[in-house]
């Protein structure tokens, strides 16, 4: 979907529909701007109050736009960002299957919400019908945004389009089932992306034999239970830039049965989403290529399938990680931290400026924060603040959680250096504390996106988060570098 920004609605516009946002207290502004015939009579007849999301059709009332409507914002100045998604959803449901090209006058919308509204349009316009016989039949291709004044410009719209492309890729990958999307498939996706952008990307893939040589026995303890071999995929963007890279590490468990510590059957189909951290890294790399941000980034994906079999790791087994630390695996369903810890050791070779790992890591984080906020863990106040600001700017928000030494003793094991779980309390915190033991040589943050990477119920599907957050974070850094 293409977005443009204009200061007025041209008389010769090819737009097939015009939607006009109106403030409940400034209805006359729209009437004057568009010379709407008989508006007062219409308002009286329909008792239109311009309440939030209230719609007033204006068929034939605007000469330049025979198909038009007013959409109420109530008191626009009091409109909260969280309400924009509902507004956009209603709007697109009405036009997505009818018109190829529409215009939306957002002049009544607070300027501070213009960028977020545009981003919401691209996010809500997504549909996944890859495996359906009957397709979605969406025909909407272009939306012209109209505003007398707006902070939105062509450069910002280009970034939004890039985010849309990357977020859609992340959602597509997350929505594909485990029999389609498995570790080798993610490696192929990375290689295809590099073939599309050969001047910007360099891809390397480690197989299990190479991982064995590197001593990645924590990772291999997860992947060995499956007939699908694990992979560590590295995608380097703008590696010619002489700057320490931002390293993004994504958890890519393409299906998580829990291993020998088998999960309950109800809802297990959603464990195809356990690779959404990896999907967000791939999505971010695509968005970087399309936006061509001047920043050095390394995306690394730790991908495996967690299955029960005669080869699977048993609870109580002890393995040695790449870092040399030994791990007692008390629960094979705490597998994400095992593939991540070796990968976090591996990425030290890039001499990173910062490392951010993204993982659907713990159900405990879903209990704590639900589906609204991602959990942010970092001992680095400056980095945590940088990520939090990017989250607010992109409305892909995070909430900082503790990762402090007081919790580390919960991970003590009588038989190994560390246990892979910390008991029944503070599960998301002890998971972060586990990862912290492998990240002390560089600046690090951990995003637990178990609650935000996908939705359940009737709206089941991958969200593509936190691609908007990551892209905003990288865009802010690129701006500082300039």
């Amino acid at each position: 979907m293409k977005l443009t920004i204009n200061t007025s609605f041209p008389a010769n516009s090819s737009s097939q529909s015009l939607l006009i946002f109106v403030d409940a207290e400034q209805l006359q502004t729209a009437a004057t701007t568009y010379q709407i015939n008989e508006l007062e009579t219409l308002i009286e007849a329909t008792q239109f109050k311009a309440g939030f999301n209230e719609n007033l059709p204006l068929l034939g009332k605007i000469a330049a736009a025979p198909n038009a409507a007013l959409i109420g914002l109530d008191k626009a100045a009091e409109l909260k960002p969280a309400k924009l998604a509902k507004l956009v959803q209603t709007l697109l449901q009405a036009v997505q299957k009818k018109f190829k090209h529409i215009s939306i006058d957002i002049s009544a919308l607070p300027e501070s919400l213009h960028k977020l509204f545009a981003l919401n349009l691209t996010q809500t316009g997504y549909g996944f019908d890859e495996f359906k016989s009957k397709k979605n039949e969406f025909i909407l291709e272009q939306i012209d945004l109209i505003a007398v004044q707006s902070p939105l410009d062509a450069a910002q719209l280009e970034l939004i389009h890039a985010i849309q492309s990357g977020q859609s890729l992340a959602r597509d990958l997350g929505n594909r089932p485990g029999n389609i999307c498995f570790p080798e498939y993610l490696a192929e996706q990375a290689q295809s992306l590099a073939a599309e952008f050969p001047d910007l990307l360099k891809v390397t893939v480690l197989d299990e034999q190479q991982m064995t040589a590197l001593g990645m026995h924590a990772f291999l303890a997860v992947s060995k239970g499956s007939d699908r071999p694990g992979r560590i995929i590295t995608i380097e963007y703008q590696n010619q830039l002489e700057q320490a890279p931002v390293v993004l590490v994504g958890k890519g468990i393409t299906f998580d049965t829990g291993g020998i510590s088998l999960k309950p059957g109800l809802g297990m189909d959603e464990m195809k989403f356990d690779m959404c951290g990896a999907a967000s890294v791939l999505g971010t790399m695509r968005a970087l290529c399309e936006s061509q941000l001047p920043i050095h980034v390394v995306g690394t994906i730790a991908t495996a399938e967690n299955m029960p079999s005669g080869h699977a790791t048993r609870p109580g087994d002890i393995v040695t990680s790449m870092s040399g630390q030994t791990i007692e695996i008390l629960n094979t369903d705490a597998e994400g931290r095992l593939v991540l810890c070796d990968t976090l050791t591996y990425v030290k070779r890039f001499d990173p400026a910062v490392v951010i790992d993204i993982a659907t890591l713990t159900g405990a984080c879903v209990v704590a924060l639900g589906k609204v906020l991602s959990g942010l863990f970092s001992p680095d106040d400056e980095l945590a603040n940088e990520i939090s600001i990017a989250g607010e700017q992109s409305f892909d928000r995070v909430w900082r959680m503790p990762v402090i030494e007081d919790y580390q003793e919960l991970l003590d094991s009588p038989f190994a250096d560390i246990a892979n779980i910390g008991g029944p309390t503070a599960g998301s915190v002890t998971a972060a504390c586990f990862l912290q033991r492998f990240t002390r040589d560089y600046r690090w943050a951990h995003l637990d996106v178990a609650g935000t990477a996908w939705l359940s119920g009737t709206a089941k599907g991958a969200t593509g988060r936190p691609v908007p957050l990551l892209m905003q974070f990288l865009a802010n850094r690129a701006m500082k570098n300039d």
Side-chain angles (χ1 to χ4, degrees):
M1 182 191 300
K2 181 183 178 183
L3 301 179
T4 67
I5 182 77
N6 305 290
T7 57
S8 63
F9 183 73
N12 60 348
S13 173
S14 61
S15 178
Q16 297 165 294
S17 181
L18 171 63
L19 306 174
I20 307 163
F21 287 153
V22 287
D23 185 296
E25 297 173 350
Q26 297 178 352
L27 271 169
Q28 194 54 45
T29 302
T32 303
T33 302
Y34 289 98
Q35 300 178 345
I36 303 172
N37 300 321
E38 304 168 351
L39 182 59
E40 289 184 11
T41 304
L42 268 175
I43 290 172
E44 180 65 29
T46 60
Q47 290 298 296
F48 179 69
K49 305 294 185 186
F52 178 73
N53 229 359
E54 188 180 0
N55 187 295
L56 177 63
L58 298 173
L59 297 175
K61 301 300 181 183
I62 300 176
N67 188 83
L70 300 183
I71 300 176
L73 297 176
D74 198 11
K75 296 179 181 178
E78 299 176 8
L79 187 61
K80 302 297 183 187
K83 279 196 163 186
L84 283 183
K86 184 177 181 181
L87 189 70
V88 170
Q89 187 174 31
T90 303
L91 185 155
L92 286 186
Q93 281 177 347
V95 301
Q96 209 165 18
K97 295 182 180 181
K98 294 181 179 180
F99 307 113
K100 287 187 176 181
H101 183 183
I102 69 169
S103 296
I104 307 173
D105 191 326
I106 60 173
S107 299
L109 197 67
E111 290 184 23
S112 60
L113 296 180
H114 285 191
K115 179 183 174 183
L116 183 57
F117 177 75
L119 186 59
N120 262 281
L121 284 171
T122 65
Q123 293 167 333
T124 308
Y126 172 85
F128 186 77
D129 57 10
E130 190 171 313
F131 302 104
K132 283 183 170 285
S133 299
K134 185 178 180 181
K135 303 303 181 182
N136 288 321
E137 299 176 350
F138 296 158
I139 64 171
L140 185 60
E141 296 175 354
Q142 180 170 332
I143 299 178
D144 297 335
L145 301 176
I146 300 164
V148 177
Q149 288 186 323
S150 178
L152 266 180
D153 56 26
Q156 283 189 324
L157 285 177
E158 282 182 18
L159 182 60
I160 287 171
H161 285 132
I163 292 171
Q164 172 193 9
S165 183
Q167 193 168 6
S168 293
L169 172 61
R171 294 170 88 168
D172 286 347
L173 292 171
N175 287 330
R176 287 172 186 147
N179 63 319
I180 302 291
C181 182
F182 40 83
E184 304 102 313
Y185 179 85
L186 288 180
E188 289 168 3
Q189 293 297 300
Q191 288 161 339
S192 294
L193 191 61
E196 188 177 347
F197 299 99
D199 296 333
L200 295 174
L201 296 182
K202 174 187 174 184
V203 170
T204 57
V205 180
L206 296 184
D207 60 26
E208 290 194 344
Q209 185 176 358
Q210 291 167 304
M211 285 186 253
T212 301
L214 289 167
M216 294 183 167
H217 300 294
F219 185 111
L220 294 167
V222 178
S223 65
K224 72 178 186 176
S226 173
D227 290 340
R228 298 282 188 189
R231 295 286 185 267
I232 289 180
I233 307 158
T234 300
I235 314 164
E236 196 165 1
Y237 169 79
Q238 299 272 33
N239 67 338
Q240 77 281 4
L241 294 179
E242 294 183 2
Q243 56 184 239
V246 173
V247 175
L248 307 176
V249 177
K251 173 189 170 186
I253 301 298
T254 56
F255 196 83
D256 182 18
T257 66
I260 298 300
S261 306
L262 194 67
K263 291 178 181 289
L266 184 64
M268 195 194 287
D269 64 290
E270 294 189 12
M271 288 301 95
K272 69 177 185 176
F273 296 120
D274 208 21
M275 43 64 68
C276 283
S280 73
V281 171
L282 270 165
T284 299
M285 302 313 288
R286 167 166 279 284
L288 281 169
C289 290
E290 296 199 9
S291 63
Q292 297 197 26
L293 288 181
I295 186 170
H296 185 190
V297 180
V298 176
T300 305
I301 291 168
T303 179
E305 191 177 56
N306 189 23
M307 298 288 282
S309 75
H311 299 288
T313 295
R314 298 162 290 268
D317 284 0
I318 295 174
V319 296
T320 303
S321 67
M322 184 181 177
S323 71
Q325 297 176 79
T326 57
I327 303 167
E328 183 183 15
I329 301 173
L330 297 178
N331 189 316
T332 64
D333 195 24
E335 85 298 328
R337 65 202 71 182
L338 296 176
V339 299
L340 286 173
C341 72
D342 277 344
T343 309
L344 289 167
T345 300
Y346 177 75
V347 299
K348 283 196 297 185
R349 65 189 57 209
F350 295 105
D351 193 20
V354 297
V355 175
I356 303 172
D357 75 74
I358 309 100
T360 52
L361 204 64
T362 65
C365 198
V366 186
V367 173
L369 299 176
K371 295 287 185 179
V372 178
L373 304 171
S374 300
L376 166 63
F377 301 79
S378 180
D380 187 320
D381 292 340
E382 185 181 347
L383 178 57
N385 186 55
E386 203 177 338
I387 294 170
S388 296
I389 289 171
E392 293 297 327
Q393 291 172 325
S394 60
F395 205 65
D396 188 358
R397 297 166 296 168
V398 298
W399 191 263
R400 192 176 183 187
M401 304 277 279
V403 53
I404 54 177
E405 291 299 320
D406 308 55
Y407 289 97
Q408 287 287 358
E409 64 182 26
L410 295 174
L411 293 165
D412 287 347
S413 163
F415 303 113
D417 296 330
I418 183 174
N420 79 322
I421 57 171
T425 61
S428 62
V429 176
T430 53
C433 287
F434 180 94
L435 297 179
Q436 186 185 27
R437 295 199 184 195
F438 302 86
T439 61
R440 298 190 190 274
D441 293 337
Y442 47 72
R443 300 178 67 197
W444 161 79
H446 159 59
L447 293 175
D448 192 330
V449 296
T452 57
W454 80 90
L455 300 174
S456 302
T458 56
K460 184 191 294 186
T463 64
R465 293 176 64 182
V467 171
L469 161 64
L470 295 172
M471 280 300 294
Q472 187 64 56
F473 173 83
L474 294 170
N476 292 347
R477 283 204 149 225
M479 196 178 302
K480 284 182 186 177
N481 291 341
D482 282 351

